[in-house]
Structures are given as structure tokens and as C-alpha cells.
Amino acid sequence: MIDSVLISGAGIAGPVLASLLARRGVHVTVVEIADGVRPGGQAVDLRGAGRTVLDRMGLLDRARALSLQQEGIAEVDSTGRHLSEMRVSDFGGEGIVSEIEILRGDLADLLVADSKDHGAEYRFGTRISGLSPAGDQVQVELDDRSVCLVDLVVGADGPHSATRKLVFGPEEQFVRPLGGYMAWFTAPEGESLDGWYAMYNHPGGLVASQRPGREDGTAKASLSFASEPLVFDRHDPDEQRALLRTRFAGAGWRTPELLAAADVADDFYLDALVQVHMAEWSRDRVTLIGDAAYCPSPLTGLGTSLALVGAYILAGEVTSQPDLQVALQRYDELARPYVTTAQELPPGGMRSFAPNSRLAIWLRIATTRLMVSRPLRPLARRMFFSKAEAVTLPEYTVD
Ligand SMILES: Cc1cc2nc3c(=O)[nH]c(=O)nc-3n(C[C@H](O)[C@H](O)[C@H](O)COP(=O)(O)OP(=O)(O)OC[C@H]3O[C@@H](n4cnc5c(N)ncnc54)[C@H](O)[C@@H]3O)c2cc1C
């Protein structure tokens, strides 16, 4: 059985795994490249099996207390008029806006605090610089020049995982661009959204959205655009802000205010919309979880559920199977069917999320209206909103 684990990445998957392992007596160290828990992101959905994991960890009530009060999602025109509405209650809390939506930063804070309470150690501003086999362990070199030996290394370092690159090879082998980019940042709410997550589509594949934050007067905004892969510096937010200004020049609704907010937001974050597909997630004593292994992309709304479920299964297996290789094999077998289902994109994928023409935008709105109409709701629920539950979670002891 393993005694020590080093996890790279303190997003969502890393801290969940850290907590579950530490609860079972494993010595856990988490290294995170950022100087602290990353604050950014919009609301993430807690639904289906992911919500069950938080429940089994005893954290659901605390998550509920942090959740946002939301009416639902509305497609709006350039004046802000609602063209379609999908209420939270329309699909029993499992629609596009789920019953429990929590700010990504709040969830990360909650999970990191919980794992620390159970004994996990965090080293911020630190990353892995080298990995090499060392008998029944792995030797880990960190960029602060320290070296440690652990039984297992876990890459939970997101879709651009450096752990994956070190062990499995270059990003291009595993990362599939979906044809667009998305930026998230905090913005003033401005004119009240009345609890609605408002989404505006502009011809040319542009999407602007704004949803109420947890504090009065603040909102979480997003600007997305369809595009072929672009070359830009992922570590230069100013270059990314300039990119948004060029793309969204002349777009309507609240876009000018949102661009101005993006310029000053300290949680500004932009990334390509991608999925990660890998035939194997583990090699020797290194394995991957969350977006590093199977990013489904925000278009599916299931990234957090996958991170929670993957971490839960991995922790359960490596602390109950005496043979690590058997445990890693079982992690793959148990989690993969859920991953495959969760990675199915909504019909139309990026083209449907960010339509190019006015006609395509209108068709999307008409489709939403049909989906929420009473006669079609049960069918729409089965077709689009039942994936989060598509796994039977094994029972592991969670102390
Ligand atoms: C700032 C931010 C905002 C996001 N906002 C949204 C959102 O609004 N909506 C949505 O659906 N999804 C969002 N996501 C993605 C979402 O968090 C994930 O899809 C999902 O929760 C799975 O989490 P994860 O822990 O696998 O990956 P992530 O949440 O991406 O966490 C990965 C962590 O690894 C760290 N890291 C990266 N490289 C290294 C390295 N070399 N060494 C050590 N640490 C490293 C990152 O700083 C990050 O903290 C966001 C991700 C981030 C990082």
C-alpha cells in the first residue's frame, strides 16, 4: 500500500485527491505553480456523481452555503431582452444552470482548506522539474532544487499538464482544439441581471456572458470566440486582452463594459477550448487526473464532476488495493466509461455554442425554446442533462 504521494496542481482535482488520501493516512504534498489558490473562474456546476462525492466527503452543506442564487440562463439580444429562458427548475436542477453552482475559486478554497485540515501539505510557487524511477518509488526534483522520494506522483495540473508532458509526451498528442477560446474574469454587474445568467451571441462566432457573483454588485463575465488555433503567449494576459479587444470590436450588448472590466480584472484567465484524450492515464508510478487526463471542456459543463469523480475513484483504489499497478488499472476501468460519456459534446459543439450567422443564432434560440417547452422537457432531459449521473460510484471508506 502507498504511504506518500506528490500531487502537481491545486485546482479542483488535486485538493480533492489530497483530502481523500490524507484522510486515509497517506502523506500528501501538493505543489502548485501559482503563488496561492488561483482565484479565477466563473461558477462551476455541482451535479450528479460529482455532487455525491462532495456529499460523501461531508462538504456538501458547506458548498451549498457558498452557492449562488441563480434563476437560470437567458439568451439575450443586444438590448438585454430575454429571447429564451431556461430556469434552474425546468430540468430539476440538472439543466445548463444546475441546482448548486459555486464559484470555482470558492470551491478550490473549500477543498484546499479541507485537505489541509486532514494533514495535506501545500507548496505554492513550486513545480516539478524532473521525474525518475527509483526502485519502488519515484524521485521528484522540484524547481526550488529540492528532491524527494514518493510512492506515487499524480498530475492534476490542468489541460496543459507539465506532468503529462514529462512522462507521456508533447501536448499535441493528447490535446484536441475545439475551435475557440474563452476568457473568464470578474466584472461589475452594472444594470441588475435579476439573478439571470445572461448570454449574448453576436454574428462571427462571438459570445459574451455575465452572471451574478456572490457579492452584491459583482458579476462573473466571460468572452468567447470561435477561431482556428492562434499563436499567443499563454502567460501574457495583456496580449490576450488585446486579442479580445480586436475580436469583439463593434459587438453589442454589454461587450464594451466587459472589455473594460477584462482590462483591470486581477483574475483574468483565457484559454483555448480543448479536450484531452489519452489511451492510458498511468505509467509506472505516475498517473493523471482531472483536466490533465480527460478535460471535457467547459462546453460540456462536466469538468468539475469529472475531476471530483476521478479523484474519488483513484483515492479509493490506491488506498484499498495492495498492488499499485492493479489499483491504477482499476482506476482506469472504473472511471473511463464516465469520462467517455462526459466528453460527448452537445450537438453542434463549438458551432452551436458560438454560431457564425444571424440565422444560426436564431435557430439556437428556437431550439432552446423547444427544449424548455413542457411536452419536450422529458426528452431533452434524457438527451442532454443526464450524463452527470452516468456512473455508479464504488463505496469506499471516507473518514
Ligand atoms: C483560473 C481557472 C479558471 C477556470 N474557470 C472555469 C470556469 O469558469 N468554468 C469552467 O467550466 N471551468 C473553469 N476552469 C476549469 C475547471 O476548473 C476544470 O475544468 C475542472 O474543475 C477540473 O479541474 P482540474 O483540477 O483538473 O484543473 P484546473 O482547475 O485547471 O487546475 C489545475 C491547477 O494546476 C496548476 N498548474 C498548472 N501547471 C502547473 C505546474 N506545472 N505545476 C504545478 N501546478 C500547475 C494550475 O495553476 C491550477 O491551479 C478554470 C480553470 C482555471 C485554472
Side-chain angles (χ1 to χ4, degrees):
M1 210 77 84
I2 54 164
D3 283 327
S4 54
V5 174
L6 184 126
I7 300 170
S8 171
I12 305 298
V16 178
L17 181 68
S19 172
L20 290 167
L21 292 175
R23 289 164 190 238
R24 304 201 71 183
V26 178
H27 183 262
V28 186
T29 307
V30 184
V31 294
E32 162 62 49
I33 198 167
D35 289 335
V37 181
R38 295 186 70 146
Q42 283 205 333
V44 290
D45 319 340
L46 290 181
R47 56 174 92 218
R51 187 173 53 209
T52 307
V53 170
L54 272 194
D55 196 16
R56 290 190 187 172
M57 292 171 78
L59 296 176
L60 194 55
D61 286 344
R62 279 155 72 189
R64 246 184 235 284
L66 292 166
S67 70
L68 305 168
Q69 294 301 320
Q70 316 246 343
E71 293 293 329
I73 184 165
E75 290 166 300
V76 300
D77 66 12
S78 60
T79 67
R81 187 166 60 99
H82 290 197
L83 301 174
S84 76
E85 290 183 348
M86 185 184 289
R87 291 183 175 274
V88 174
S89 54
D90 285 344
F91 294 99
E94 297 289 346
I96 293 180
V97 178
S98 69
E99 181 208 351
I100 310 180
E101 297 259 342
I102 174 169
L103 293 180
R104 183 196 168 280
D106 285 347
L107 181 60
D109 279 340
L110 173 67
L111 295 168
V112 169
D114 177 70
S115 60
K116 282 184 175 170
D117 287 347
H118 288 93
E121 286 171 26
Y122 281 78
R123 293 172 70 171
F124 289 103
T126 309
R127 61 189 169 87
I128 298 174
S129 52
L131 293 171
S132 41
D136 281 350
Q137 292 194 299
V138 190
Q139 176 170 303
V140 186
E141 288 156 45
L142 299 174
D143 65 344
D144 60 6
R145 294 172 180 257
S146 60
V147 176
C148 60
L149 286 172
V150 290
D151 298 332
L152 176 67
V153 170
V154 182
D157 38 8
H160 307 290
S161 171
T163 313
R164 187 182 61 217
K165 192 171 171 193
L166 274 176
V167 177
F168 296 87
E171 176 157 325
E172 298 71 43
Q173 290 181 23
F174 311 109
V175 173
R176 292 188 198 161
L178 298 180
Y181 292 81
M182 186 177 271
W184 297 288
F185 49 93
T186 300
E189 183 169 355
E191 196 179 327
S192 173
L193 296 159
D194 293 324
W196 285 92
Y197 175 4
M199 181 177 275
Y200 170 71
N201 280 94
H202 191 84
L206 303 178
V207 190
S209 75
Q210 210 186 3
R211 60 195 307 177
R214 196 155 52 76
E215 283 146 28
D216 278 353
T218 66
K220 295 291 170 180
S222 171
L223 293 171
S224 312
F225 58 93
S227 167
E228 292 303 308
L230 300 171
V231 178
F232 63 89
D233 184 348
R234 276 204 311 112
H235 303 288
D236 182 352
D238 287 336
E239 186 183 344
Q240 297 159 19
R241 288 172 167 126
L243 184 62
L244 285 181
R245 273 198 299 277
T246 312
R247 291 277 167 164
F248 280 85
W253 189 53
R254 302 182 176 191
T255 307
E257 290 112 279
L258 297 186
L259 286 169
D263 277 347
V264 295
D266 53 13
D267 60 353
F268 177 84
Y269 183 79
L270 180 141
D271 203 355
L273 287 162
V274 299
Q275 286 197 328
V276 174
H277 292 265
M278 300 183 77
E280 48 168 11
W281 302 327
S282 309
R283 196 167 283 175
D284 301 326
R285 289 178 168 270
V286 180
T287 192
L288 304 172
I289 54 170
D291 279 1
Y294 31 75
C295 175
S297 96
L299 297 190
T300 66
L302 288 171
T304 306
S305 294
L306 275 190
L308 288 159
V309 168
Y312 174 82
I313 294 176
L314 179 64
E317 291 301 323
V318 297
T319 54
S320 58
Q321 296 288 339
D323 183 327
L324 178 64
Q325 293 313 317
V326 173
L328 296 177
Q329 183 61 34
R330 280 183 55 81
Y331 157 53
D332 194 312
E333 285 165 11
L334 291 167
R336 197 169 283 273
Y338 186 49
V339 166
T340 305
T341 304
Q343 286 193 318
E344 286 166 12
L345 289 171
M350 188 66 197
R351 264 181 297 119
S352 166
F353 171 69
N356 207 24
S357 65
R358 279 188 201 285
L359 175 64
I361 293 173
W362 183 85
L363 278 173
R364 232 260 319 266
I365 292 163
T367 308
T368 312
R369 287 181 183 166
L370 270 177
M371 278 164 66
V372 295
S373 65
R374 278 197 185 277
L376 288 186
R377 259 186 229 170
L379 178 66
R381 181 169 184 167
R382 267 200 312 282
M383 284 178 69
F384 305 119
F385 304 125
S386 57
K387 290 180 186 164
E389 296 149 28
V391 61
T392 307
L393 287 175
E395 292 282 347
Y396 303 114
T397 314
V398 180
D399 305 318

